[in-house]
Amino acid sequence: MAEGKLYLRPIGFLYGPPAEAAIEDGLALPLAGGPIAFTAAVVIEGDLTSSQRRLVSVEALEESRDADLGAVLERVTRPRPPFAGLSLARPTLMGIVNVTPDSFSDGGLYDETEGAVAHAAELASEGAEIVDIGGESTRPGSDAVADDDELSRVVPVLEELKGSPAVISIDTRKSTVARAAAKAGAKILNDVSALTYDPACLDVAAEEGLDVVLMHAQGVPKTMQDNPTYDDVVLEVFDYLESRIEACEAAGIGRARIAADPGLGFGKTLAHNLALLANLSLFHGLGVPLLVGASRKRFIGGLGQNKDPKSREPGSHAAAIASAAQGVQILRVHDVAGSRQALAVWRASMFGIEN
Ligand code: 7PJ
């Protein structure tokens, strides 16, 4: 982080008619051009070890003539174009389909092609606008999978999903898998290493016209939970994602084709995960749509003492709502029907609308 760099964390959110009225009166600004307004921001200035924070109203922000502040404000408020053809006006659900024998929550259940295809179709019918197909478990402690094994798990599933109403995303770190998936109809490359594990993914995404999800992770799945450390987890994750967006742009993947994800659970302690969740709105300063995956993760079990991943749904829904309430556009979830219900009730109560 450069000394004196500025970050803006929008706070004081309004929803529905009060949001519109406050924007009209110059008392609030739209978060990422969406339906949520913010009335103030925490302005963070400094470096990773010593940062200054001040609370500033939207009126004062708009009066400021600081060029750096103006640039961040523009990125925070600018409307986001559709991602992979999807309007992001409402929280968009990405349903998780694991085609892995060892994945921690669906382990063994969906390892057959037919099971995975049926599961993907079910999630789409429940309201997943994106289905994320993964053939390599990246949960803490897991080993890497050989290219051929991953290919043979996911390609038959993708072939059968051609014609699905959902946008197909491939969850992989490998360029061979990303290429084959694109040929088989995938539109999104979701890479938990933000295209660093296999740098050829940059060229594959550029050449195949894939939209990309860049996720932050510290370390590799096998050892990432051993002793994750940060000076300031929120600012470090922000800087990393910003540098990866720049790497994508340099490789010919335009900003409109990029979404960013702080990577809950990937080289993070409970405190790190909670700091990220509490500060999600700061990531709008990246100027791209945000994706968050909290679903059934260990930190939810840690908070609620729940060891069984499937019993972590209530906490997963709470995390999805906490994310959507900060303007996060895409939520990666196992339980699409349940998440949809939770989000619909949250939206109806906060925005005063039914859809
Ligand atoms: C994530 C992911 C996540 C994105 C996994 C699990 C582990 N991709 N792939 N974000 N997590 N973008 O589902 O618990 O959080 S695999």
Side-chain angles (χ1 to χ4, degrees), residues 94 96 98 103-105 132 136-140 169 171-172 189-192 213-216 224 260-266 291-298 332 334:
M94 171 189 263
I96 302 167
N98 291 311
S103 197
F104 83 104
S105 61
D132 189 37
E136 178 194 40
S137 174
T138 45
R139 74 189 163 112
S169 161
D171 186 344
T172 189
L189 169 56
N190 174 29
D191 184 346
V192 299
V213 177
L214 303 174
M215 196 199 81
H216 173 276
M224 66 190 178
D261 178 347
L264 299 177
F266 282 79
L291 185 152
V292 167
S295 188
R296 297 185 186 171
K297 285 198 172 149
R298 217 172 267 183
R332 184 178 180 277
H334 294 88

